[in-house]
Amino acid sequence: MSQLSDDSGQSAAGIAEWITQNCPEKLRSQPARNRDICWGGKRWTFSSEEQRIWLENAAAAGLTAPRWPQAYGGAGLTREQEKGFREAMSRLNAPSPLESFGLWMLGPALLEFGTEEQKRHFLPQITRGEIRWCQGYSEPGAGSDLASVQTRAEDMGDHWLVNGSKIWTSYANHADWIFALVRTDRDAAKHLGISFMLIDMESEGVTTKPITLISGTSVFCETFFDNVKVPKSYGENIPAQVGQINRGWDVAKHLLTHEREMIGGGGSGAAGGILGGRSLGEFMGNLAPEVLDEPVIRAQAMELEIDSLAMGMTLERYKDMAKQGGVGNASAMLKYMGTELNKRRYELLMSATGSEGTDWDGAHGVLAPEWLRTKANSIEGGTSEVMLDILSKRVLELPSK
């Protein structure tokens, strides 16, 4: 199997040929909206043999994490090579082989703060889809104010004893492991007594409870830790915590920038769901002709298309900046703009489809549930109000009230 990092695999034609040979034709011929997302994990059941083959082929070539180093299961591609790979997948209608919080969030944090042994232990398992992770940040009394977390980990010598609860933990009921913020020093200053800890969800004392939202379904859970024993080490130089004890806030901030970029990017128009990878214009072009004859709808659609293109170009620019050392607090701008854009997009789709759009699974698919789901976009990963506060104080350096 060719690796795209080889000279022969770096051209557009070479990339396209690799995808054609390794992504099953049956998978590529499916409409995007009908595909099941592959999340991986110990309990994952493939929706088809083609989905399994595509994940295994992509993982073997390091292409579930194209830019990660090859030593950790990635392909070691450059930013431009990765962009070419993504564009070729889109042209060939090839789905993402794996979606994963491990890829989006934990992996970048481990690459920055993990020990060499932590990277070699966890990262290849993430790229192969063998471990499914969830995020334990928010708590009932500490939503966007993450530094107020009260879930505590007490030092018991050879292990940590963890007690507390997390909320809005996406897919916690399906996850194998959780990366969580825990308070390891209650006497330290607010941001200095927190550690970033990796916990096996099969540990005794860990339970989850799904939360049902207005859409009728939900990816969110409550997660409880009752006297959970977390070993201090998962192997030689593989500590349970990432980074230094009591300095988990540094890791958390780094991870948040990736989470906000990811959420903001999902609102750029390339997301799946009802649009199935199509632009807003493509979707609306298939509606009844009189819909786009309505001046207000037409004007709003054009405005959204322009804003989506601008957002896409901005994301590309910040991805290049991230390569040079991260985007820092500017990730708040990406998160705010991307999620608000996605909410506007679905508001317009609901207006354009009228009563047909309110069907739970009708002529336009699951538009109504997806519209309702976008309401969470401006809450998860930090609310829009918190993002504006960050931009005001830390980017624009405006005075506090």
Side-chain angles (χ1 to χ4, degrees):
M1 182 178 301
S2 66
Q3 303 285 324
L4 286 181
S5 54
D6 294 336
D7 290 343
S8 60
Q10 292 183 9
S11 67
I15 292 172
E17 182 180 357
W18 187 93
I19 294 172
T20 303
Q21 291 179 350
N22 290 279
C23 182
E25 168 68 26
K26 186 176 179 180
L27 208 57
R28 288 186 283 121
S29 61
Q30 283 183 340
R33 56 173 285 192
N34 293 339
R35 292 176 181 144
D36 293 317
I37 296 172
C38 180
W39 289 96
K42 294 177 183 176
R43 291 171 285 173
W44 180 253
T45 301
F46 290 101
S47 62
S48 67
E49 179 65 5
E50 288 77 17
Q51 188 184 64
R52 183 190 66 76
I53 292 171
W54 179 219
L55 172 59
E56 290 185 355
N57 287 349
L63 291 168
T64 53
R67 292 183 60 200
W68 289 10
Q70 293 181 0
Y72 309 136
L77 300 189
T78 65
R79 170 83 185 89
E80 285 304 311
Q81 289 170 337
E82 182 199 26
K83 184 179 177 182
F85 175 64
R86 304 283 186 203
E87 290 174 348
M89 285 211 305
S90 180
R91 285 196 304 275
L92 295 169
N93 199 31
S96 169
L98 178 67
E99 300 290 333
S100 161
F101 292 157
L103 293 173
W104 300 331
M105 300 184 221
L106 178 61
L110 281 174
L111 286 169
E112 181 71 20
F113 294 96
T115 66
E116 179 62 22
E117 289 76 9
Q118 276 180 323
K119 296 174 188 175
R120 291 185 180 275
H121 179 74
F122 288 112
L123 294 180
Q125 295 181 70
I126 292 173
T127 63
R128 294 192 295 264
E130 296 172 352
I131 298 181
R132 186 169 180 175
W133 292 83
C134 63
Q135 180 190 59
Y137 270 26
S138 296
E139 295 186 3
S144 296
D145 183 14
L146 294 177
S148 295
V149 295
Q150 294 301 312
T151 295
R152 64 187 186 279
E154 298 176 75
D155 189 342
M156 305 301 285
D158 64 342
H159 68 274
W160 299 98
L161 190 65
V162 178
N163 280 283
S165 65
K166 299 290 179 179
I167 196 167
W168 310 122
T169 41
S170 303
Y171 300 111
N173 53 336
H174 300 297
D176 304 308
W177 286 66
I178 185 170
F179 47 92
L181 293 180
V182 295
R183 189 160 293 285
T184 42
D185 186 348
R186 283 187 280 184
D187 297 325
K190 190 175 179 180
H191 293 81
L192 298 179
I194 295 172
S195 297
F196 186 100
M197 200 161 285
L198 310 178
I199 303 173
D200 189 337
M201 293 292 281
E202 292 184 351
S203 304
E204 185 176 350
V206 179
T207 55
T208 60
K209 179 183 177 182
I211 301 170
T212 302
L213 300 183
I214 190 173
S215 62
T217 59
S218 172
V219 304
F220 302 121
C221 292
E222 292 178 272
T223 302
F224 303 94
F225 303 91
D226 296 312
N227 292 319
V228 178
K229 292 183 178 180
V230 177
K232 285 194 172 177
S233 174
Y234 295 115
E236 187 175 354
N237 205 20
I238 308 177
Q241 89 281 354
V242 178
Q244 299 179 38
I245 292 295
N246 296 330
R247 297 303 301 265
W249 188 245
D250 297 334
V251 185
K253 285 192 300 181
H254 181 82
L255 185 147
L256 277 174
T257 64
H258 287 275
E259 181 185 22
R260 288 167 182 166
E261 288 172 39
M262 180 271 293
I263 295 174
S268 68
I274 194 73
L275 293 176
R278 295 171 292 176
S279 68
L280 185 68
E282 287 179 279
F283 180 89
M284 296 187 69
N286 292 322
L287 299 178
E290 56 268 26
V291 171
L292 287 177
D293 289 340
E294 169 58 46
V296 174
I297 295 289
R298 193 178 187 89
Q300 290 178 339
M302 291 178 65
E303 184 179 2
L304 271 168
E305 284 288 68
I306 292 170
D307 288 348
S308 296
L309 288 170
M311 184 68 195
M313 295 174 67
T314 303
L315 276 171
E316 290 301 320
R317 182 159 53 89
Y318 274 90
K319 285 177 180 176
D320 288 337
M321 288 176 60
K323 183 181 177 182
Q324 304 303 320
V327 300
N329 291 319
S331 64
M333 180 270 291
L334 300 177
K335 199 275 179 179
Y336 174 79
M337 293 300 296
T339 56
E340 294 297 323
L341 183 62
N342 204 36
K343 288 169 65 178
R344 287 170 53 205
R345 182 181 296 118
Y346 274 86
E347 290 289 343
L348 178 60
L349 288 173
M350 290 298 291
S351 296
T353 54
S355 58
E356 285 185 349
T358 61
D359 290 341
W360 212 240
D361 190 3
H364 303 294
V366 290
L367 175 57
E370 289 191 9
W371 165 63
L372 291 170
R373 176 64 181 81
T374 64
K375 305 302 179 185
N377 288 164
S378 51
I379 299 174
E380 58 199 352
T383 65
S384 286
E385 289 76 14
V386 169
M387 297 302 104
L388 291 174
D389 196 46
I390 291 172
L391 291 171
S392 171
K393 293 179 180 176
R394 301 177 191 170
V395 178
L396 300 176
E397 299 183 350
L398 297 175
S400 300
K401 289 184 178 178

